[in-house]
PDB file of all heavy atoms in Angstrom:
ATOM      1  N   ASN A 138      87.771 -27.562  51.442  1.00  0.00           N
ATOM      2  CA  ASN A 138      88.805 -28.119  50.546  1.00  0.00           C
ATOM      3  C   ASN A 138      89.540 -26.868  49.888  1.00  0.00           C
ATOM      4  O   ASN A 138      90.777 -27.020  49.669  1.00  0.00           O
ATOM      5  CB  ASN A 138      88.150 -29.011  49.503  1.00  0.00           C
ATOM      6  CG  ASN A 138      89.213 -29.517  48.493  1.00  0.00           C
ATOM      7  OD1 ASN A 138      89.333 -29.095  47.444  1.00  0.00           O
ATOM      8  ND2 ASN A 138      90.038 -30.473  49.111  1.00  0.00           N
ATOM      9  N   SER A 139      88.830 -25.877  49.589  1.00  0.00           N
ATOM     10  CA  SER A 139      89.526 -24.742  48.946  1.00  0.00           C
ATOM     11  C   SER A 139      90.555 -24.180  49.888  1.00  0.00           C
ATOM     12  O   SER A 139      91.664 -23.712  49.522  1.00  0.00           O
ATOM     13  CB  SER A 139      88.477 -23.572  48.630  1.00  0.00           C
ATOM     14  OG  SER A 139      87.522 -23.941  47.514  1.00  0.00           O
ATOM     15  N   ILE A 140      90.232 -24.072  51.201  1.00  0.00           N
ATOM     16  CA  ILE A 140      91.204 -23.581  52.225  1.00  0.00           C
ATOM     17  C   ILE A 140      92.486 -24.564  52.231  1.00  0.00           C
ATOM     18  O   ILE A 140      93.606 -24.127  52.330  1.00  0.00           O
ATOM     19  CB  ILE A 140      90.516 -23.490  53.567  1.00  0.00           C
ATOM     20  CG1 ILE A 140      89.467 -22.366  53.502  1.00  0.00           C
ATOM     21  CG2 ILE A 140      91.554 -23.080  54.559  1.00  0.00           C
ATOM     22  CD1 ILE A 140      88.666 -22.245  54.704  1.00  0.00           C
ATOM     23  N   GLU A 141      92.181 -25.795  52.200  1.00  0.00           N
ATOM     24  CA  GLU A 141      93.342 -26.740  52.324  1.00  0.00           C
ATOM     25  C   GLU A 141      94.231 -26.681  51.015  1.00  0.00           C
ATOM     26  O   GLU A 141      95.432 -26.766  51.178  1.00  0.00           O
ATOM     27  CB  GLU A 141      92.739 -28.204  52.450  1.00  0.00           C
ATOM     28  CG  GLU A 141      92.102 -28.437  53.872  1.00  0.00           C
ATOM     29  CD  GLU A 141      93.014 -28.195  54.968  1.00  0.00           C
ATOM     30  OE1 GLU A 141      94.112 -28.647  54.948  1.00  0.00           O
ATOM     31  OE2 GLU A 141      92.595 -27.676  55.987  1.00  0.00           O
ATOM     32  N   VAL A 142      93.559 -26.607  49.861  1.00  0.00           N
ATOM     33  CA  VAL A 142      94.292 -26.563  48.622  1.00  0.00           C
ATOM     34  C   VAL A 142      95.103 -25.202  48.588  1.00  0.00           C
ATOM     35  O   VAL A 142      96.288 -25.186  48.234  1.00  0.00           O
ATOM     36  CB  VAL A 142      93.355 -26.578  47.354  1.00  0.00           C
ATOM     37  CG1 VAL A 142      94.154 -26.257  46.141  1.00  0.00           C
ATOM     38  CG2 VAL A 142      92.786 -27.899  47.341  1.00  0.00           C
ATOM     39  N   ALA A 143      94.544 -24.196  49.184  1.00  0.00           N
ATOM     40  CA  ALA A 143      95.210 -22.938  49.216  1.00  0.00           C
ATOM     41  C   ALA A 143      96.524 -22.945  50.152  1.00  0.00           C
ATOM     42  O   ALA A 143      97.558 -22.413  49.792  1.00  0.00           O
ATOM     43  CB  ALA A 143      94.345 -21.705  49.632  1.00  0.00           C
ATOM     44  N   GLY A 144      96.365 -23.732  51.192  1.00  0.00           N
ATOM     45  CA  GLY A 144      97.531 -23.910  52.102  1.00  0.00           C
ATOM     46  C   GLY A 144      98.530 -24.717  51.420  1.00  0.00           C
ATOM     47  O   GLY A 144      99.837 -24.316  51.658  1.00  0.00           O
ATOM     48  N   ALA A 145      98.313 -25.603  50.698  1.00  0.00           N
ATOM     49  CA  ALA A 145      99.392 -26.391  49.950  1.00  0.00           C
ATOM     50  C   ALA A 145      99.941 -25.519  48.931  1.00  0.00           C
ATOM     51  O   ALA A 145     101.234 -25.491  48.798  1.00  0.00           O
ATOM     52  CB  ALA A 145      98.690 -27.584  49.291  1.00  0.00           C
ATOM     53  N   MET A 146      99.082 -24.650  48.178  1.00  0.00           N
ATOM     54  CA  MET A 146      99.735 -23.800  47.297  1.00  0.00           C
ATOM     55  C   MET A 146     100.723 -22.696  48.012  1.00  0.00           C
ATOM     56  O   MET A 146     101.839 -22.401  47.462  1.00  0.00           O
ATOM     57  CB  MET A 146      98.703 -23.035  46.460  1.00  0.00           C
ATOM     58  CG  MET A 146      97.879 -23.837  45.641  1.00  0.00           C
ATOM     59  SD  MET A 146      96.499 -22.929  44.796  1.00  0.00           S
ATOM     60  CE  MET A 146      95.850 -24.137  43.648  1.00  0.00           C
ATOM     61  N   LEU A 147     100.196 -22.228  49.095  1.00  0.00           N
ATOM     62  CA  LEU A 147     100.945 -21.170  49.853  1.00  0.00           C
ATOM     63  C   LEU A 147     102.357 -21.605  50.365  1.00  0.00           C
ATOM     64  O   LEU A 147     103.267 -20.749  50.490  1.00  0.00           O
ATOM     65  CB  LEU A 147     100.144 -20.728  51.021  1.00  0.00           C
ATOM     66  CG  LEU A 147     100.646 -19.413  51.751  1.00  0.00           C
ATOM     67  CD1 LEU A 147     100.575 -18.244  50.879  1.00  0.00           C
ATOM     68  CD2 LEU A 147      99.600 -19.081  52.915  1.00  0.00           C
ATOM     69  N   SER A 148     102.555 -22.848  50.572  1.00  0.00           N
ATOM     70  CA  SER A 148     103.856 -23.314  51.103  1.00  0.00           C
ATOM     71  C   SER A 148     104.979 -23.018  50.062  1.00  0.00           C
ATOM     72  O   SER A 148     106.140 -22.833  50.444  1.00  0.00           O
ATOM     73  CB  SER A 148     103.750 -24.861  51.429  1.00  0.00           C
ATOM     74  OG  SER A 148     103.518 -25.603  50.092  1.00  0.00           O
ATOM     75  N   ASP A 149     104.574 -22.962  48.748  1.00  0.00           N
ATOM     76  CA  ASP A 149     105.533 -22.534  47.791  1.00  0.00           C
ATOM     77  C   ASP A 149     106.079 -21.112  47.867  1.00  0.00           C
ATOM     78  O   ASP A 149     107.084 -20.847  47.324  1.00  0.00           O
ATOM     79  CB  ASP A 149     104.984 -22.841  46.321  1.00  0.00           C
ATOM     80  CG  ASP A 149     104.884 -24.271  46.060  1.00  0.00           C
ATOM     81  OD1 ASP A 149     105.565 -25.090  46.663  1.00  0.00           O
ATOM     82  OD2 ASP A 149     104.082 -24.664  45.202  1.00  0.00           O
ATOM     83  N   ALA A 150     105.245 -20.301  48.546  1.00  0.00           N
ATOM     84  CA  ALA A 150     105.698 -18.901  48.770  1.00  0.00           C
ATOM     85  C   ALA A 150     106.728 -18.755  49.753  1.00  0.00           C
ATOM     86  O   ALA A 150     107.283 -17.682  50.004  1.00  0.00           O
ATOM     87  CB  ALA A 150     104.480 -18.034  49.165  1.00  0.00           C
ATOM     88  N   ASP A 151     107.044 -19.880  50.432  1.00  0.00           N
ATOM     89  CA  ASP A 151     108.171 -19.861  51.509  1.00  0.00           C
ATOM     90  C   ASP A 151     109.451 -20.366  50.876  1.00  0.00           C
ATOM     91  O   ASP A 151     110.533 -20.534  51.589  1.00  0.00           O
ATOM     92  CB  ASP A 151     107.706 -20.745  52.693  1.00  0.00           C
ATOM     93  CG  ASP A 151     108.845 -20.745  53.787  1.00  0.00           C
ATOM     94  OD1 ASP A 151     109.410 -19.603  54.052  1.00  0.00           O
ATOM     95  OD2 ASP A 151     108.940 -21.632  54.442  1.00  0.00           O
ATOM     96  N   LEU A 152     109.441 -20.716  49.663  1.00  0.00           N
ATOM     97  CA  LEU A 152     110.751 -21.235  49.069  1.00  0.00           C
ATOM     98  C   LEU A 152     111.729 -20.138  49.072  1.00  0.00           C
ATOM     99  O   LEU A 152     111.566 -19.038  48.795  1.00  0.00           O
ATOM    100  CB  LEU A 152     110.340 -21.777  47.644  1.00  0.00           C
ATOM    101  CG  LEU A 152     109.620 -22.933  47.384  1.00  0.00           C
ATOM    102  CD1 LEU A 152     109.293 -23.068  45.914  1.00  0.00           C
ATOM    103  CD2 LEU A 152     110.407 -24.167  47.975  1.00  0.00           C
ATOM    104  N   PRO A 153     113.087 -20.545  49.384  1.00  0.00           N
ATOM    105  CA  PRO A 153     114.207 -19.648  49.400  1.00  0.00           C
ATOM    106  C   PRO A 153     114.661 -19.313  47.795  1.00  0.00           C
ATOM    107  O   PRO A 153     114.388 -20.179  47.078  1.00  0.00           O
ATOM    108  CB  PRO A 153     115.188 -20.225  50.113  1.00  0.00           C
ATOM    109  CG  PRO A 153     114.969 -21.752  49.993  1.00  0.00           C
ATOM    110  CD  PRO A 153     113.462 -21.902  49.832  1.00  0.00           C
ATOM    111  N   ARG A 154     115.234 -18.307  47.725  1.00  0.00           N
ATOM    112  CA  ARG A 154     116.049 -17.939  46.376  1.00  0.00           C
ATOM    113  C   ARG A 154     115.072 -18.061  45.235  1.00  0.00           C
ATOM    114  O   ARG A 154     115.423 -18.595  44.147  1.00  0.00           O
ATOM    115  CB  ARG A 154     117.243 -18.878  46.314  1.00  0.00           C
ATOM    116  CG  ARG A 154     118.245 -18.542  47.365  1.00  0.00           C
ATOM    117  CD  ARG A 154     119.445 -19.554  47.224  1.00  0.00           C
ATOM    118  NE  ARG A 154     119.143 -20.884  47.406  1.00  0.00           N
ATOM    119  CZ  ARG A 154     118.957 -21.620  48.534  1.00  0.00           C
ATOM    120  NH1 ARG A 154     119.149 -20.843  49.719  1.00  0.00           N
ATOM    121  NH2 ARG A 154     118.705 -22.808  48.572  1.00  0.00           N
ATOM    122  N   ILE A 155     113.843 -17.498  45.297  1.00  0.00           N
ATOM    123  CA  ILE A 155     113.076 -17.385  44.122  1.00  0.00           C
ATOM    124  C   ILE A 155     112.658 -15.965  43.892  1.00  0.00           C
ATOM    125  O   ILE A 155     112.740 -15.067  44.900  1.00  0.00           O
ATOM    126  CB  ILE A 155     111.647 -18.120  44.223  1.00  0.00           C
ATOM    127  CG1 ILE A 155     110.903 -17.727  45.423  1.00  0.00           C
ATOM    128  CG2 ILE A 155     111.961 -19.575  44.323  1.00  0.00           C
ATOM    129  CD1 ILE A 155     109.471 -18.310  45.578  1.00  0.00           C
ATOM    130  N   ARG A 156     112.333 -15.575  42.701  1.00  0.00           N
ATOM    131  CA  ARG A 156     112.015 -14.137  42.415  1.00  0.00           C
ATOM    132  C   ARG A 156     110.852 -13.772  43.097  1.00  0.00           C
ATOM    133  O   ARG A 156     109.918 -14.456  43.542  1.00  0.00           O
ATOM    134  CB  ARG A 156     111.861 -14.008  40.835  1.00  0.00           C
ATOM    135  CG  ARG A 156     113.041 -14.286  40.054  1.00  0.00           C
ATOM    136  CD  ARG A 156     112.737 -14.207  38.665  1.00  0.00           C
ATOM    137  NE  ARG A 156     112.383 -12.881  38.224  1.00  0.00           N
ATOM    138  CZ  ARG A 156     111.879 -12.532  36.917  1.00  0.00           C
ATOM    139  NH1 ARG A 156     111.923 -13.585  36.077  1.00  0.00           N
ATOM    140  NH2 ARG A 156     111.571 -11.375  36.660  1.00  0.00           N
ATOM    141  N   ASN A 157     110.760 -12.411  43.493  1.00  0.00           N
ATOM    142  CA  ASN A 157     109.691 -11.922  44.277  1.00  0.00           C
ATOM    143  C   ASN A 157     108.326 -12.092  43.405  1.00  0.00           C
ATOM    144  O   ASN A 157     107.374 -12.366  43.984  1.00  0.00           O
ATOM    145  CB  ASN A 157     109.858 -10.462  44.629  1.00  0.00           C
ATOM    146  CG  ASN A 157     108.856  -9.899  45.627  1.00  0.00           C
ATOM    147  OD1 ASN A 157     108.593 -10.596  46.686  1.00  0.00           O
ATOM    148  ND2 ASN A 157     108.326  -8.793  45.391  1.00  0.00           N
ATOM    149  N   ALA A 158     108.453 -11.866  42.229  1.00  0.00           N
ATOM    150  CA  ALA A 158     107.239 -12.029  41.267  1.00  0.00           C
ATOM    151  C   ALA A 158     106.711 -13.490  41.347  1.00  0.00           C
ATOM    152  O   ALA A 158     105.494 -13.665  41.312  1.00  0.00           O
ATOM    153  CB  ALA A 158     107.543 -11.778  39.851  1.00  0.00           C
ATOM    154  N   THR A 159     107.611 -14.362  41.350  1.00  0.00           N
ATOM    155  CA  THR A 159     107.322 -15.845  41.543  1.00  0.00           C
ATOM    156  C   THR A 159     106.578 -16.080  42.876  1.00  0.00           C
ATOM    157  O   THR A 159     105.557 -16.864  42.940  1.00  0.00           O
ATOM    158  CB  THR A 159     108.415 -16.722  41.444  1.00  0.00           C
ATOM    159  OG1 THR A 159     109.096 -16.513  40.122  1.00  0.00           O
ATOM    160  CG2 THR A 159     108.093 -18.184  41.459  1.00  0.00           C
ATOM    161  N   ARG A 160     107.158 -15.460  43.885  1.00  0.00           N
ATOM    162  CA  ARG A 160     106.557 -15.639  45.241  1.00  0.00           C
ATOM    163  C   ARG A 160     105.176 -15.180  45.256  1.00  0.00           C
ATOM    164  O   ARG A 160     104.297 -15.751  45.828  1.00  0.00           O
ATOM    165  CB  ARG A 160     107.546 -14.956  46.293  1.00  0.00           C
ATOM    166  CG  ARG A 160     107.154 -15.431  47.795  1.00  0.00           C
ATOM    167  CD  ARG A 160     108.227 -14.738  48.674  1.00  0.00           C
ATOM    168  NE  ARG A 160     109.633 -14.750  48.302  1.00  0.00           N
ATOM    169  CZ  ARG A 160     110.404 -15.935  48.638  1.00  0.00           C
ATOM    170  NH1 ARG A 160     109.856 -16.896  49.187  1.00  0.00           N
ATOM    171  NH2 ARG A 160     111.632 -15.823  48.154  1.00  0.00           N
ATOM    172  N   LYS A 161     105.011 -13.934  44.732  1.00  0.00           N
ATOM    173  CA  LYS A 161     103.687 -13.360  44.745  1.00  0.00           C
ATOM    174  C   LYS A 161     102.751 -14.100  43.925  1.00  0.00           C
ATOM    175  O   LYS A 161     101.556 -14.134  44.144  1.00  0.00           O
ATOM    176  CB  LYS A 161     103.819 -11.781  44.208  1.00  0.00           C
ATOM    177  CG  LYS A 161     104.531 -10.875  45.169  1.00  0.00           C
ATOM    178  CD  LYS A 161     103.694 -10.856  46.551  1.00  0.00           C
ATOM    179  CE  LYS A 161     104.383  -9.824  47.522  1.00  0.00           C
ATOM    180  NZ  LYS A 161     104.249  -8.504  47.210  1.00  0.00           N
ATOM    181  N   GLY A 162     103.345 -14.741  42.866  1.00  0.00           N
ATOM    182  CA  GLY A 162     102.415 -15.581  41.928  1.00  0.00           C
ATOM    183  C   GLY A 162     101.836 -16.741  42.801  1.00  0.00           C
ATOM    184  O   GLY A 162     100.655 -17.124  42.517  1.00  0.00           O
ATOM    185  N   HIS A 163     102.561 -17.381  43.613  1.00  0.00           N
ATOM    186  CA  HIS A 163     102.199 -18.443  44.445  1.00  0.00           C
ATOM    187  C   HIS A 163     101.080 -17.966  45.419  1.00  0.00           C
ATOM    188  O   HIS A 163     100.104 -18.627  45.594  1.00  0.00           O
ATOM    189  CB  HIS A 163     103.318 -19.060  45.326  1.00  0.00           C
ATOM    190  CG  HIS A 163     104.309 -19.787  44.538  1.00  0.00           C
ATOM    191  ND1 HIS A 163     104.036 -20.729  43.496  1.00  0.00           N
ATOM    192  CD2 HIS A 163     105.694 -19.739  44.481  1.00  0.00           C
ATOM    193  CE1 HIS A 163     105.045 -21.284  42.941  1.00  0.00           C
ATOM    194  NE2 HIS A 163     106.090 -20.691  43.510  1.00  0.00           N
ATOM    195  N   ILE A 164     101.209 -16.737  45.935  1.00  0.00           N
ATOM    196  CA  ILE A 164     100.192 -16.212  46.802  1.00  0.00           C
ATOM    197  C   ILE A 164      98.937 -15.956  45.975  1.00  0.00           C
ATOM    198  O   ILE A 164      97.877 -16.109  46.546  1.00  0.00           O
ATOM    199  CB  ILE A 164     100.767 -14.812  47.492  1.00  0.00           C
ATOM    200  CG1 ILE A 164     101.963 -15.241  48.347  1.00  0.00           C
ATOM    201  CG2 ILE A 164      99.633 -14.210  48.341  1.00  0.00           C
ATOM    202  CD1 ILE A 164     102.647 -13.999  48.821  1.00  0.00           C
ATOM    203  N   THR A 165      99.197 -15.533  44.797  1.00  0.00           N
ATOM    204  CA  THR A 165      97.883 -15.100  44.029  1.00  0.00           C
ATOM    205  C   THR A 165      97.124 -16.417  43.623  1.00  0.00           C
ATOM    206  O   THR A 165      95.942 -16.433  43.693  1.00  0.00           O
ATOM    207  CB  THR A 165      98.330 -14.467  42.653  1.00  0.00           C
ATOM    208  OG1 THR A 165      98.961 -13.209  43.015  1.00  0.00           O
ATOM    209  CG2 THR A 165      97.149 -14.180  41.714  1.00  0.00           C
ATOM    210  N   ARG A 166      97.804 -17.565  43.397  1.00  0.00           N
ATOM    211  CA  ARG A 166      97.185 -18.841  43.106  1.00  0.00           C
ATOM    212  C   ARG A 166      96.326 -19.153  44.290  1.00  0.00           C
ATOM    213  O   ARG A 166      95.166 -19.576  44.213  1.00  0.00           O
ATOM    214  CB  ARG A 166      98.188 -19.841  42.736  1.00  0.00           C
ATOM    215  CG  ARG A 166      98.897 -19.759  41.345  1.00  0.00           C
ATOM    216  CD  ARG A 166      99.919 -20.657  41.162  1.00  0.00           C
ATOM    217  NE  ARG A 166      99.334 -22.104  41.332  1.00  0.00           N
ATOM    218  CZ  ARG A 166      99.928 -22.993  42.155  1.00  0.00           C
ATOM    219  NH1 ARG A 166     100.970 -22.666  42.842  1.00  0.00           N
ATOM    220  NH2 ARG A 166      99.534 -24.173  42.280  1.00  0.00           N
ATOM    221  N   ALA A 167      96.989 -19.089  45.536  1.00  0.00           N
ATOM    222  CA  ALA A 167      96.188 -19.407  46.671  1.00  0.00           C
ATOM    223  C   ALA A 167      94.947 -18.507  46.895  1.00  0.00           C
ATOM    224  O   ALA A 167      93.919 -18.964  47.257  1.00  0.00           O
ATOM    225  CB  ALA A 167      97.094 -19.335  47.909  1.00  0.00           C
ATOM    226  N   LEU A 168      95.155 -17.140  46.622  1.00  0.00           N
ATOM    227  CA  LEU A 168      94.090 -16.319  46.737  1.00  0.00           C
ATOM    228  C   LEU A 168      92.930 -16.639  45.782  1.00  0.00           C
ATOM    229  O   LEU A 168      91.694 -16.570  46.254  1.00  0.00           O
ATOM    230  CB  LEU A 168      94.694 -14.833  46.559  1.00  0.00           C
ATOM    231  CG  LEU A 168      93.657 -13.685  46.758  1.00  0.00           C
ATOM    232  CD1 LEU A 168      93.153 -13.582  48.197  1.00  0.00           C
ATOM    233  CD2 LEU A 168      94.321 -12.381  46.369  1.00  0.00           C
ATOM    234  N   ASN A 169      93.315 -16.933  44.551  1.00  0.00           N
ATOM    235  CA  ASN A 169      92.311 -17.284  43.599  1.00  0.00           C
ATOM    236  C   ASN A 169      91.429 -18.455  44.016  1.00  0.00           C
ATOM    237  O   ASN A 169      90.338 -18.517  43.864  1.00  0.00           O
ATOM    238  CB  ASN A 169      92.965 -17.362  42.220  1.00  0.00           C
ATOM    239  CG  ASN A 169      93.415 -16.089  41.609  1.00  0.00           C
ATOM    240  OD1 ASN A 169      92.894 -15.059  42.074  1.00  0.00           O
ATOM    241  ND2 ASN A 169      94.180 -16.232  40.624  1.00  0.00           N
ATOM    242  N   ARG A 170      92.139 -19.453  44.615  1.00  0.00           N
ATOM    243  CA  ARG A 170      91.491 -20.650  45.109  1.00  0.00           C
ATOM    244  C   ARG A 170      90.507 -20.436  46.206  1.00  0.00           C
ATOM    245  O   ARG A 170      89.389 -20.948  46.140  1.00  0.00           O
ATOM    246  CB  ARG A 170      92.502 -21.645  45.518  1.00  0.00           C
ATOM    247  CG  ARG A 170      91.907 -23.045  45.725  1.00  0.00           C
ATOM    248  CD  ARG A 170      91.492 -23.670  44.453  1.00  0.00           C
ATOM    249  NE  ARG A 170      90.911 -25.017  44.499  1.00  0.00           N
ATOM    250  CZ  ARG A 170      89.651 -25.235  44.962  1.00  0.00           C
ATOM    251  NH1 ARG A 170      88.879 -24.246  45.271  1.00  0.00           N
ATOM    252  NH2 ARG A 170      89.277 -26.469  44.955  1.00  0.00           N
ATOM    253  N   VAL A 171      90.902 -19.485  47.137  1.00  0.00           N
ATOM    254  CA  VAL A 171      90.010 -19.149  48.194  1.00  0.00           C
ATOM    255  C   VAL A 171      88.813 -18.321  47.670  1.00  0.00           C
ATOM    256  O   VAL A 171      87.652 -18.532  48.182  1.00  0.00           O
ATOM    257  CB  VAL A 171      90.716 -18.440  49.324  1.00  0.00           C
ATOM    258  CG1 VAL A 171      89.788 -17.922  50.493  1.00  0.00           C
ATOM    259  CG2 VAL A 171      91.858 -19.304  49.988  1.00  0.00           C
TER     260      VAL A 171
END
Side-chain angles (χ1 to χ4, degrees):
N138 179 255
S139 292
I140 296 174
E141 291 302 316
V142 171
M146 293 176 173
L147 188 59
S148 65
D149 289 335
D151 184 36
L152 290 170
R154 296 181 297 279
I155 60 174
R156 297 176 61 186
N157 192 44
T159 302
R160 197 180 310 278
K161 291 299 180 73
H163 292 312
I164 296 170
T165 298
R166 287 175 58 232
L168 184 60
N169 289 341
R170 191 64 180 80
V171 173

